[in-house]
Short mmCIF file of all heavy atoms in Angstrom, two decimals:
data_model
loop_
_atom_site.label_atom_id
_atom_site.label_comp_id
_atom_site.label_asym_id
_atom_site.label_seq_id
_atom_site.Cartn_x
_atom_site.Cartn_y
_atom_site.Cartn_z
N MET A 1 -5.95 7.94 10.77
CA MET A 1 -4.83 7.09 11.15
C MET A 1 -4.05 6.78 9.86
O MET A 1 -4.62 6.68 8.81
CB MET A 1 -5.32 5.75 11.71
CG MET A 1 -6.15 5.94 12.93
SD MET A 1 -6.77 4.26 13.48
CE MET A 1 -5.53 3.84 14.53
N ARG A 2 -2.71 6.71 10.03
CA ARG A 2 -1.81 6.44 8.87
C ARG A 2 -1.36 5.02 8.88
O ARG A 2 -1.04 4.47 9.98
CB ARG A 2 -0.69 7.41 8.94
CG ARG A 2 -1.15 8.84 8.63
CD ARG A 2 0.02 9.79 8.50
NE ARG A 2 -0.50 11.06 8.21
CZ ARG A 2 0.25 12.15 8.07
NH1 ARG A 2 1.56 12.07 8.22
NH2 ARG A 2 -0.33 13.28 7.79
N PHE A 3 -1.27 4.47 7.71
CA PHE A 3 -0.84 3.09 7.58
C PHE A 3 0.17 2.98 6.45
O PHE A 3 0.00 3.63 5.45
CB PHE A 3 -2.02 2.11 7.30
CG PHE A 3 -2.97 1.98 8.45
CD1 PHE A 3 -3.96 2.93 8.62
CD2 PHE A 3 -2.77 0.96 9.36
CE1 PHE A 3 -4.86 2.76 9.73
CE2 PHE A 3 -3.63 0.84 10.42
CZ PHE A 3 -4.69 1.75 10.63
N MET A 4 1.22 2.17 6.67
CA MET A 4 2.25 1.91 5.62
C MET A 4 1.82 0.49 5.03
O MET A 4 1.66 -0.45 5.81
CB MET A 4 3.62 1.83 6.22
CG MET A 4 4.67 1.65 5.27
SD MET A 4 5.04 3.11 4.21
CE MET A 4 5.82 4.11 5.37
N VAL A 5 1.68 0.47 3.74
CA VAL A 5 1.39 -0.75 3.05
C VAL A 5 2.60 -1.19 2.31
O VAL A 5 3.04 -0.50 1.34
CB VAL A 5 0.15 -0.60 2.09
CG1 VAL A 5 -0.16 -1.90 1.38
CG2 VAL A 5 -1.04 0.02 2.78
N PHE A 6 3.23 -2.27 2.71
CA PHE A 6 4.41 -2.79 1.98
C PHE A 6 3.89 -3.87 1.07
O PHE A 6 3.15 -4.77 1.42
CB PHE A 6 5.35 -3.45 3.03
CG PHE A 6 6.02 -2.45 3.93
CD1 PHE A 6 5.52 -2.25 5.21
CD2 PHE A 6 7.05 -1.62 3.49
CE1 PHE A 6 6.08 -1.36 6.09
CE2 PHE A 6 7.62 -0.75 4.35
CZ PHE A 6 7.16 -0.56 5.66
N VAL A 7 4.46 -3.79 -0.18
CA VAL A 7 4.00 -4.76 -1.23
C VAL A 7 5.23 -5.37 -1.77
O VAL A 7 6.15 -4.67 -2.23
CB VAL A 7 3.16 -4.10 -2.30
CG1 VAL A 7 2.78 -5.09 -3.34
CG2 VAL A 7 2.03 -3.43 -1.75
N ARG A 8 5.34 -6.70 -1.80
CA ARG A 8 6.46 -7.43 -2.48
C ARG A 8 5.86 -8.06 -3.67
O ARG A 8 4.85 -8.83 -3.63
CB ARG A 8 7.05 -8.45 -1.55
CG ARG A 8 8.16 -9.22 -2.31
CD ARG A 8 8.98 -10.04 -1.36
NE ARG A 8 9.72 -9.00 -0.52
CZ ARG A 8 10.77 -9.38 0.28
NH1 ARG A 8 11.13 -10.65 0.33
NH2 ARG A 8 11.33 -8.41 0.94
N SER A 9 6.42 -7.72 -4.85
CA SER A 9 5.87 -8.13 -6.12
C SER A 9 6.92 -8.64 -7.10
O SER A 9 8.06 -8.20 -7.02
CB SER A 9 5.11 -6.94 -6.69
OG SER A 9 4.76 -7.13 -8.03
N PRO A 10 6.54 -9.53 -7.99
CA PRO A 10 7.41 -9.94 -9.05
C PRO A 10 7.59 -8.91 -10.16
O PRO A 10 8.50 -9.00 -10.98
CB PRO A 10 6.81 -11.24 -9.56
CG PRO A 10 5.35 -11.13 -9.30
CD PRO A 10 5.28 -10.33 -8.02
N ILE A 11 6.77 -7.89 -10.16
CA ILE A 11 6.83 -6.79 -11.12
C ILE A 11 7.01 -5.48 -10.37
O ILE A 11 6.64 -5.37 -9.21
CB ILE A 11 5.56 -6.76 -12.07
CG1 ILE A 11 4.29 -6.56 -11.21
CG2 ILE A 11 5.50 -8.00 -12.91
CD1 ILE A 11 3.08 -6.34 -12.03
N PRO A 12 7.50 -4.43 -10.99
CA PRO A 12 7.65 -3.13 -10.37
C PRO A 12 6.34 -2.62 -9.80
O PRO A 12 5.27 -2.73 -10.42
CB PRO A 12 8.15 -2.23 -11.48
CG PRO A 12 8.85 -3.12 -12.40
CD PRO A 12 8.02 -4.46 -12.41
N LEU A 13 6.34 -2.05 -8.61
CA LEU A 13 5.20 -1.54 -7.93
C LEU A 13 4.50 -0.47 -8.76
O LEU A 13 3.28 -0.36 -8.67
CB LEU A 13 5.58 -0.98 -6.56
CG LEU A 13 4.37 -0.58 -5.60
CD1 LEU A 13 3.49 -1.80 -5.32
CD2 LEU A 13 4.85 -0.05 -4.33
N ALA A 14 5.24 0.31 -9.49
CA ALA A 14 4.63 1.34 -10.30
C ALA A 14 3.64 0.80 -11.29
O ALA A 14 2.73 1.50 -11.68
CB ALA A 14 5.71 2.14 -10.99
N ALA A 15 3.84 -0.49 -11.67
CA ALA A 15 2.96 -1.14 -12.67
C ALA A 15 1.66 -1.57 -11.98
O ALA A 15 0.70 -1.95 -12.65
CB ALA A 15 3.64 -2.31 -13.32
N LEU A 16 1.63 -1.57 -10.66
CA LEU A 16 0.39 -1.98 -9.94
C LEU A 16 -0.57 -0.87 -9.89
O LEU A 16 -0.30 0.25 -10.16
CB LEU A 16 0.74 -2.47 -8.54
CG LEU A 16 1.76 -3.66 -8.51
CD1 LEU A 16 2.05 -4.00 -7.06
CD2 LEU A 16 1.10 -4.90 -9.24
N HIS A 17 -1.77 -1.22 -9.53
CA HIS A 17 -2.91 -0.21 -9.62
C HIS A 17 -3.15 0.54 -8.31
O HIS A 17 -4.09 0.34 -7.60
CB HIS A 17 -4.16 -0.97 -10.05
CG HIS A 17 -3.98 -1.75 -11.28
ND1 HIS A 17 -3.86 -1.13 -12.52
CD2 HIS A 17 -3.82 -3.02 -11.54
CE1 HIS A 17 -3.69 -2.07 -13.42
NE2 HIS A 17 -3.63 -3.23 -12.86
N GLY A 18 -2.25 1.47 -7.96
CA GLY A 18 -2.43 2.31 -6.83
C GLY A 18 -3.23 3.57 -7.07
O GLY A 18 -3.54 4.39 -6.27
N GLU A 19 -3.71 3.71 -8.38
CA GLU A 19 -4.47 4.86 -8.76
C GLU A 19 -5.78 4.94 -7.88
O GLU A 19 -6.30 6.05 -7.65
CB GLU A 19 -4.84 4.84 -10.24
CG GLU A 19 -3.71 4.79 -11.16
CD GLU A 19 -3.29 3.37 -11.55
OE1 GLU A 19 -4.20 2.48 -11.62
OE2 GLU A 19 -2.13 3.15 -11.72
N ALA A 20 -6.31 3.81 -7.51
CA ALA A 20 -7.51 3.77 -6.71
C ALA A 20 -7.33 4.55 -5.43
O ALA A 20 -8.24 5.27 -4.93
CB ALA A 20 -7.98 2.35 -6.47
N LEU A 21 -6.15 4.49 -4.83
CA LEU A 21 -5.85 5.16 -3.64
C LEU A 21 -5.78 6.70 -3.86
O LEU A 21 -6.15 7.45 -3.01
CB LEU A 21 -4.57 4.66 -3.00
CG LEU A 21 -4.53 3.16 -2.64
CD1 LEU A 21 -3.13 2.72 -2.21
CD2 LEU A 21 -5.51 2.85 -1.51
N VAL A 22 -5.23 7.06 -5.01
CA VAL A 22 -5.16 8.47 -5.35
C VAL A 22 -6.53 9.02 -5.55
O VAL A 22 -6.91 10.09 -5.02
CB VAL A 22 -4.33 8.64 -6.64
CG1 VAL A 22 -4.35 10.08 -7.11
CG2 VAL A 22 -2.91 8.21 -6.44
N ARG A 23 -7.38 8.31 -6.36
CA ARG A 23 -8.75 8.81 -6.58
C ARG A 23 -9.58 8.87 -5.27
O ARG A 23 -10.41 9.79 -5.13
CB ARG A 23 -9.47 7.83 -7.53
CG ARG A 23 -9.06 8.01 -8.98
CD ARG A 23 -10.03 7.30 -9.89
NE ARG A 23 -10.23 5.82 -9.54
CZ ARG A 23 -9.44 4.88 -9.96
NH1 ARG A 23 -8.39 5.07 -10.80
NH2 ARG A 23 -9.67 3.61 -9.61
N ALA A 24 -9.32 7.96 -4.32
CA ALA A 24 -9.99 8.02 -3.06
C ALA A 24 -9.50 9.15 -2.17
O ALA A 24 -10.07 9.41 -1.11
CB ALA A 24 -9.90 6.68 -2.35
N GLY A 25 -8.39 9.73 -2.52
CA GLY A 25 -7.79 10.80 -1.67
C GLY A 25 -7.13 10.41 -0.38
O GLY A 25 -6.97 11.17 0.50
N VAL A 26 -6.70 9.13 -0.34
CA VAL A 26 -6.06 8.58 0.88
C VAL A 26 -4.58 8.35 0.74
O VAL A 26 -3.90 8.17 1.70
CB VAL A 26 -6.72 7.27 1.36
CG1 VAL A 26 -8.23 7.54 1.65
CG2 VAL A 26 -6.56 6.20 0.32
N LEU A 27 -4.05 8.49 -0.49
CA LEU A 27 -2.66 8.19 -0.70
C LEU A 27 -1.81 9.46 -0.34
O LEU A 27 -2.01 10.49 -0.87
CB LEU A 27 -2.37 7.77 -2.13
CG LEU A 27 -0.93 7.42 -2.43
CD1 LEU A 27 -0.58 6.10 -1.73
CD2 LEU A 27 -0.70 7.29 -3.95
N LEU A 28 -0.84 9.29 0.61
CA LEU A 28 0.02 10.41 1.03
C LEU A 28 1.35 10.29 0.33
O LEU A 28 1.97 11.30 0.04
CB LEU A 28 0.27 10.40 2.55
CG LEU A 28 -1.07 10.52 3.35
CD1 LEU A 28 -0.71 10.37 4.87
CD2 LEU A 28 -1.64 11.86 3.09
N ASP A 29 1.88 9.08 0.12
CA ASP A 29 3.15 8.93 -0.47
C ASP A 29 3.28 7.48 -1.07
O ASP A 29 2.55 6.55 -0.60
CB ASP A 29 4.28 9.13 0.51
CG ASP A 29 5.73 9.15 -0.03
OD1 ASP A 29 5.75 9.49 -1.24
OD2 ASP A 29 6.65 8.92 0.68
N ALA A 30 4.12 7.25 -2.01
CA ALA A 30 4.35 5.93 -2.58
C ALA A 30 5.70 5.89 -3.14
O ALA A 30 6.36 6.87 -3.51
CB ALA A 30 3.32 5.65 -3.68
N GLY A 31 6.33 4.72 -3.17
CA GLY A 31 7.68 4.57 -3.77
C GLY A 31 8.05 3.14 -3.84
O GLY A 31 7.46 2.18 -3.24
N ASP A 32 9.12 2.93 -4.71
CA ASP A 32 9.71 1.66 -4.87
C ASP A 32 10.92 1.49 -3.96
O ASP A 32 11.62 2.51 -3.73
CB ASP A 32 10.13 1.41 -6.35
CG ASP A 32 8.90 1.28 -7.25
OD1 ASP A 32 7.91 0.78 -6.81
OD2 ASP A 32 9.05 1.69 -8.43
N LEU A 33 11.18 0.28 -3.51
CA LEU A 33 12.36 0.06 -2.74
C LEU A 33 13.32 -0.75 -3.61
O LEU A 33 12.98 -1.26 -4.66
CB LEU A 33 12.02 -0.76 -1.49
CG LEU A 33 10.99 -0.15 -0.58
CD1 LEU A 33 10.62 -1.08 0.56
CD2 LEU A 33 11.52 1.19 -0.02
N VAL A 34 14.58 -0.82 -3.21
CA VAL A 34 15.64 -1.47 -3.98
C VAL A 34 15.25 -2.95 -4.19
O VAL A 34 14.88 -3.69 -3.16
CB VAL A 34 17.00 -1.37 -3.27
CG1 VAL A 34 18.04 -2.10 -4.02
CG2 VAL A 34 17.37 0.06 -3.09
N PRO A 35 15.32 -3.48 -5.39
CA PRO A 35 14.96 -4.91 -5.67
C PRO A 35 15.91 -5.82 -4.90
O PRO A 35 17.13 -5.48 -4.72
CB PRO A 35 15.14 -5.04 -7.19
CG PRO A 35 15.07 -3.69 -7.71
CD PRO A 35 15.59 -2.77 -6.65
N ASP A 36 15.42 -6.99 -4.47
CA ASP A 36 16.26 -7.98 -3.83
C ASP A 36 16.04 -9.32 -4.49
O ASP A 36 15.37 -9.43 -5.51
CB ASP A 36 15.99 -8.07 -2.34
CG ASP A 36 14.62 -8.47 -2.03
OD1 ASP A 36 13.85 -8.93 -2.89
OD2 ASP A 36 14.25 -8.43 -0.79
N ALA A 37 16.60 -10.37 -3.93
CA ALA A 37 16.45 -11.72 -4.52
C ALA A 37 15.00 -12.16 -4.59
O ALA A 37 14.65 -13.04 -5.42
CB ALA A 37 17.30 -12.70 -3.77
N CYS A 38 14.09 -11.63 -3.82
CA CYS A 38 12.71 -12.10 -3.77
C CYS A 38 11.80 -11.27 -4.62
O CYS A 38 10.64 -11.47 -4.67
CB CYS A 38 12.22 -12.06 -2.29
SG CYS A 38 13.11 -13.12 -1.21
N GLY A 39 12.30 -10.30 -5.34
CA GLY A 39 11.55 -9.49 -6.22
C GLY A 39 11.64 -8.04 -5.88
O GLY A 39 12.58 -7.52 -5.32
N VAL A 40 10.61 -7.34 -6.30
CA VAL A 40 10.53 -5.85 -6.13
C VAL A 40 9.58 -5.58 -4.91
O VAL A 40 8.59 -6.15 -4.79
CB VAL A 40 9.93 -5.19 -7.45
CG1 VAL A 40 9.80 -3.75 -7.28
CG2 VAL A 40 10.83 -5.49 -8.61
N SER A 41 10.02 -4.56 -4.18
CA SER A 41 9.19 -4.13 -3.03
C SER A 41 8.95 -2.67 -3.16
O SER A 41 9.68 -1.89 -3.82
CB SER A 41 9.93 -4.39 -1.75
OG SER A 41 10.08 -5.73 -1.50
N GLY A 42 7.81 -2.23 -2.61
CA GLY A 42 7.44 -0.84 -2.60
C GLY A 42 6.49 -0.58 -1.48
O GLY A 42 6.16 -1.46 -0.68
N TYR A 43 6.07 0.66 -1.36
CA TYR A 43 5.14 0.98 -0.26
C TYR A 43 4.17 2.03 -0.67
O TYR A 43 4.36 2.77 -1.65
CB TYR A 43 5.97 1.51 0.94
CG TYR A 43 6.58 2.93 0.68
CD1 TYR A 43 5.91 4.04 0.99
CD2 TYR A 43 7.81 2.97 0.11
CE1 TYR A 43 6.44 5.29 0.75
CE2 TYR A 43 8.38 4.26 -0.18
CZ TYR A 43 7.67 5.37 0.16
OH TYR A 43 8.19 6.56 -0.12
N TRP A 44 3.04 2.08 0.00
CA TRP A 44 2.10 3.19 -0.05
C TRP A 44 1.90 3.68 1.36
O TRP A 44 1.77 2.85 2.29
CB TRP A 44 0.76 2.68 -0.61
CG TRP A 44 0.80 2.24 -2.02
CD1 TRP A 44 1.32 2.86 -3.09
CD2 TRP A 44 0.19 1.06 -2.55
NE1 TRP A 44 1.14 2.12 -4.22
CE2 TRP A 44 0.41 1.02 -3.94
CE3 TRP A 44 -0.57 0.00 -1.96
CZ2 TRP A 44 0.00 0.04 -4.77
CZ3 TRP A 44 -0.95 -1.01 -2.85
CH2 TRP A 44 -0.72 -1.04 -4.17
N LEU A 45 1.86 4.92 1.58
CA LEU A 45 1.49 5.56 2.85
C LEU A 45 0.10 6.10 2.66
O LEU A 45 -0.15 6.96 1.86
CB LEU A 45 2.46 6.68 3.27
CG LEU A 45 2.20 7.37 4.61
CD1 LEU A 45 2.26 6.34 5.74
CD2 LEU A 45 3.18 8.50 4.80
N ILE A 46 -0.85 5.58 3.46
CA ILE A 46 -2.27 5.99 3.24
C ILE A 46 -2.80 6.58 4.60
O ILE A 46 -2.33 6.19 5.69
CB ILE A 46 -3.17 4.85 2.78
CG1 ILE A 46 -3.18 3.70 3.79
CG2 ILE A 46 -2.75 4.40 1.43
CD1 ILE A 46 -4.13 2.55 3.39
N ASP A 47 -3.76 7.44 4.52
CA ASP A 47 -4.48 8.04 5.67
C ASP A 47 -5.91 7.64 5.60
O ASP A 47 -6.64 8.14 4.68
CB ASP A 47 -4.25 9.51 5.66
CG ASP A 47 -4.71 10.25 6.92
OD1 ASP A 47 -4.96 9.55 7.87
OD2 ASP A 47 -4.79 11.49 6.91
N VAL A 48 -6.36 6.86 6.48
CA VAL A 48 -7.76 6.34 6.54
C VAL A 48 -8.28 6.42 7.94
O VAL A 48 -7.59 6.70 8.89
CB VAL A 48 -7.85 4.90 5.97
CG1 VAL A 48 -7.54 4.89 4.50
CG2 VAL A 48 -6.95 3.97 6.69
N ARG A 49 -9.61 6.12 8.10
CA ARG A 49 -10.20 6.16 9.43
C ARG A 49 -9.66 5.09 10.46
O ARG A 49 -9.45 5.43 11.59
CB ARG A 49 -11.67 5.92 9.28
CG ARG A 49 -12.50 7.05 8.75
CD ARG A 49 -13.98 6.86 8.80
NE ARG A 49 -14.42 5.53 8.38
CZ ARG A 49 -14.73 5.23 7.11
NH1 ARG A 49 -14.75 6.20 6.20
NH2 ARG A 49 -15.11 4.05 6.77
N ASP A 50 -9.43 3.87 9.98
CA ASP A 50 -9.09 2.80 10.85
C ASP A 50 -8.38 1.65 10.04
O ASP A 50 -8.32 1.71 8.83
CB ASP A 50 -10.22 2.28 11.71
CG ASP A 50 -11.41 1.84 10.85
OD1 ASP A 50 -11.24 1.42 9.69
OD2 ASP A 50 -12.56 1.98 11.37
N ALA A 51 -7.96 0.61 10.84
CA ALA A 51 -7.31 -0.50 10.16
C ALA A 51 -8.22 -1.27 9.21
O ALA A 51 -7.85 -1.74 8.13
CB ALA A 51 -6.79 -1.49 11.25
N ALA A 52 -9.51 -1.33 9.59
CA ALA A 52 -10.52 -2.06 8.75
C ALA A 52 -10.59 -1.41 7.36
O ALA A 52 -10.68 -2.02 6.33
CB ALA A 52 -11.84 -2.09 9.38
N GLU A 53 -10.60 -0.06 7.31
CA GLU A 53 -10.65 0.67 6.07
C GLU A 53 -9.36 0.50 5.27
O GLU A 53 -9.41 0.33 4.07
CB GLU A 53 -10.96 2.19 6.27
CG GLU A 53 -11.04 2.94 4.95
CD GLU A 53 -11.29 4.43 5.08
OE1 GLU A 53 -11.42 4.94 6.23
OE2 GLU A 53 -11.29 5.07 4.01
N ALA A 54 -8.25 0.45 5.93
CA ALA A 54 -6.97 0.28 5.23
C ALA A 54 -7.00 -1.11 4.53
O ALA A 54 -6.65 -1.25 3.36
CB ALA A 54 -5.81 0.33 6.22
N VAL A 55 -7.44 -2.15 5.22
CA VAL A 55 -7.54 -3.51 4.65
C VAL A 55 -8.52 -3.52 3.52
O VAL A 55 -8.17 -4.07 2.45
CB VAL A 55 -7.95 -4.58 5.73
CG1 VAL A 55 -8.22 -5.89 5.12
CG2 VAL A 55 -6.74 -4.66 6.77
N GLU A 56 -9.63 -2.91 3.65
CA GLU A 56 -10.66 -2.93 2.60
C GLU A 56 -10.10 -2.21 1.36
O GLU A 56 -10.30 -2.66 0.22
CB GLU A 56 -11.91 -2.23 3.12
CG GLU A 56 -13.07 -2.28 2.15
CD GLU A 56 -13.45 -3.65 1.67
OE1 GLU A 56 -13.41 -4.58 2.54
OE2 GLU A 56 -13.73 -3.85 0.50
N ARG A 57 -9.48 -1.06 1.52
CA ARG A 57 -8.90 -0.37 0.40
C ARG A 57 -7.92 -1.16 -0.37
O ARG A 57 -7.84 -1.19 -1.59
CB ARG A 57 -8.42 1.02 0.78
CG ARG A 57 -9.50 1.95 1.26
CD ARG A 57 -9.18 3.33 0.99
NE ARG A 57 -10.24 4.26 1.37
CZ ARG A 57 -11.20 4.63 0.65
NH1 ARG A 57 -11.25 4.22 -0.65
NH2 ARG A 57 -12.17 5.47 1.04
N VAL A 58 -7.02 -1.82 0.32
CA VAL A 58 -5.95 -2.58 -0.28
C VAL A 58 -6.61 -3.86 -0.97
O VAL A 58 -6.10 -4.22 -2.09
CB VAL A 58 -4.85 -3.02 0.73
CG1 VAL A 58 -3.89 -3.94 0.16
CG2 VAL A 58 -4.13 -1.76 1.19
N LYS A 59 -7.59 -4.43 -0.42
CA LYS A 59 -8.25 -5.59 -0.97
C LYS A 59 -8.88 -5.26 -2.38
O LYS A 59 -8.93 -6.11 -3.25
CB LYS A 59 -9.34 -6.09 -0.07
CG LYS A 59 -8.98 -6.98 1.02
CD LYS A 59 -10.15 -7.46 1.75
CE LYS A 59 -9.82 -8.56 2.73
NZ LYS A 59 -11.02 -8.98 3.42
N ARG A 60 -9.28 -3.96 -2.63
CA ARG A 60 -9.85 -3.59 -3.86
C ARG A 60 -8.87 -3.47 -4.97
O ARG A 60 -9.22 -3.35 -6.10
CB ARG A 60 -10.57 -2.25 -3.63
CG ARG A 60 -11.76 -2.28 -2.76
CD ARG A 60 -12.29 -0.87 -2.63
NE ARG A 60 -13.31 -0.81 -1.51
CZ ARG A 60 -13.75 0.29 -1.01
NH1 ARG A 60 -13.33 1.42 -1.50
NH2 ARG A 60 -14.61 0.25 -0.04
N ILE A 61 -7.61 -3.44 -4.64
CA ILE A 61 -6.53 -3.34 -5.69
C ILE A 61 -6.06 -4.68 -6.11
O ILE A 61 -5.76 -5.55 -5.27
CB ILE A 61 -5.36 -2.54 -5.12
CG1 ILE A 61 -5.82 -1.17 -4.62
CG2 ILE A 61 -4.18 -2.40 -6.12
CD1 ILE A 61 -4.71 -0.35 -3.86
N HIS A 62 -6.01 -4.94 -7.40
CA HIS A 62 -5.61 -6.20 -7.99
C HIS A 62 -4.06 -6.32 -7.75
O HIS A 62 -3.34 -5.62 -8.45
CB HIS A 62 -5.99 -6.31 -9.48
CG HIS A 62 -5.60 -7.55 -10.05
ND1 HIS A 62 -6.10 -8.75 -9.61
CD2 HIS A 62 -4.71 -7.83 -11.07
CE1 HIS A 62 -5.60 -9.75 -10.37
NE2 HIS A 62 -4.75 -9.22 -11.25
N LEU A 63 -3.65 -7.22 -6.90
CA LEU A 63 -2.24 -7.43 -6.62
C LEU A 63 -1.92 -8.88 -6.81
O LEU A 63 -1.77 -9.67 -5.90
CB LEU A 63 -1.94 -7.01 -5.14
CG LEU A 63 -2.18 -5.58 -4.73
CD1 LEU A 63 -2.17 -5.35 -3.22
CD2 LEU A 63 -1.25 -4.71 -5.47
N PRO A 64 -1.68 -9.29 -8.07
CA PRO A 64 -1.41 -10.69 -8.39
C PRO A 64 -0.09 -11.11 -7.85
O PRO A 64 0.90 -10.39 -8.03
CB PRO A 64 -1.51 -10.76 -9.95
CG PRO A 64 -1.07 -9.34 -10.35
CD PRO A 64 -1.65 -8.42 -9.30
N ALA A 65 -0.05 -12.25 -7.24
CA ALA A 65 1.24 -12.86 -6.75
C ALA A 65 2.01 -11.93 -5.88
O ALA A 65 3.28 -11.92 -5.93
CB ALA A 65 2.06 -13.32 -7.97
N CYS A 66 1.38 -11.13 -5.04
CA CYS A 66 2.08 -10.16 -4.21
C CYS A 66 1.93 -10.58 -2.73
O CYS A 66 0.89 -11.13 -2.33
CB CYS A 66 1.49 -8.76 -4.35
SG CYS A 66 1.80 -8.09 -5.94
N VAL A 67 2.92 -10.25 -1.94
CA VAL A 67 2.85 -10.33 -0.48
C VAL A 67 2.58 -8.92 0.06
O VAL A 67 3.36 -8.03 -0.31
CB VAL A 67 4.12 -10.93 0.11
CG1 VAL A 67 4.05 -10.90 1.59
CG2 VAL A 67 4.34 -12.33 -0.47
N VAL A 68 1.61 -8.75 0.86
CA VAL A 68 1.25 -7.46 1.32
C VAL A 68 1.18 -7.40 2.85
O VAL A 68 0.72 -8.30 3.46
CB VAL A 68 -0.29 -7.00 0.87
CG1 VAL A 68 -0.64 -5.67 1.43
CG2 VAL A 68 -0.26 -7.04 -0.68
N GLU A 69 1.81 -6.36 3.42
CA GLU A 69 1.81 -6.13 4.79
C GLU A 69 1.31 -4.70 5.14
O GLU A 69 1.75 -3.79 4.51
CB GLU A 69 3.25 -6.29 5.38
CG GLU A 69 3.27 -6.13 6.91
CD GLU A 69 4.70 -6.30 7.43
OE1 GLU A 69 5.64 -6.63 6.69
OE2 GLU A 69 4.90 -6.03 8.64
N ILE A 70 0.37 -4.62 6.02
CA ILE A 70 -0.19 -3.30 6.42
C ILE A 70 0.21 -3.06 7.90
O ILE A 70 -0.17 -3.83 8.78
CB ILE A 70 -1.68 -3.22 6.26
CG1 ILE A 70 -2.09 -3.53 4.83
CG2 ILE A 70 -2.25 -1.95 6.71
CD1 ILE A 70 -3.60 -3.76 4.58
N ARG A 71 0.87 -1.95 8.15
CA ARG A 71 1.20 -1.63 9.52
C ARG A 71 0.87 -0.18 9.80
O ARG A 71 0.99 0.74 9.00
CB ARG A 71 2.79 -1.69 9.64
CG ARG A 71 3.41 -2.95 9.15
CD ARG A 71 3.66 -4.02 10.15
NE ARG A 71 4.12 -3.64 11.48
CZ ARG A 71 5.34 -3.82 11.93
NH1 ARG A 71 6.31 -4.25 11.15
NH2 ARG A 71 5.60 -3.53 13.16
N GLN A 72 0.37 0.07 11.04
CA GLN A 72 0.02 1.42 11.45
C GLN A 72 1.26 2.23 11.75
O GLN A 72 2.26 1.73 12.32
CB GLN A 72 -0.88 1.36 12.72
CG GLN A 72 -1.34 2.73 13.16
CD GLN A 72 -2.37 2.72 14.31
OE1 GLN A 72 -2.76 1.63 14.71
NE2 GLN A 72 -2.74 3.90 14.75
N VAL A 73 1.21 3.49 11.36
CA VAL A 73 2.30 4.39 11.57
C VAL A 73 2.06 5.24 12.75
O VAL A 73 0.98 5.86 12.80
CB VAL A 73 2.54 5.27 10.31
CG1 VAL A 73 3.62 6.33 10.51
CG2 VAL A 73 2.90 4.44 9.09
N ALA A 74 2.99 5.34 13.69
CA ALA A 74 2.80 6.25 14.85
C ALA A 74 3.07 7.67 14.43
O ALA A 74 4.12 7.94 13.83
CB ALA A 74 3.73 5.79 15.96
N VAL A 75 2.03 8.50 14.63
CA VAL A 75 2.21 9.93 14.34
C VAL A 75 2.62 10.65 15.62
O VAL A 75 1.89 10.63 16.57
CB VAL A 75 0.92 10.50 13.76
CG1 VAL A 75 1.09 11.96 13.40
CG2 VAL A 75 0.58 9.72 12.47
N VAL A 76 3.76 11.35 15.63
CA VAL A 76 4.25 11.94 16.80
C VAL A 76 4.07 13.48 16.63
O VAL A 76 4.21 14.10 15.65
CB VAL A 76 5.73 11.67 16.98
CG1 VAL A 76 6.27 12.36 18.25
CG2 VAL A 76 5.99 10.17 17.08
#
């Protein structure tokens, strides 16, 4: 199953520790979004077994002062 992880952060997403997702072999894509008044946003597209695994993998990443949203992606 694929999940989009949106992260809103006071620092650029590239500075966050997404390497764990790369090492685990679940990261399909990542990128920064245009900064807005609330800070910097970015995303990770991951491929995992289920929602529980998606949550567990994101919990392992140190994301200080970040707002995180995990949404399942419909694969057509």
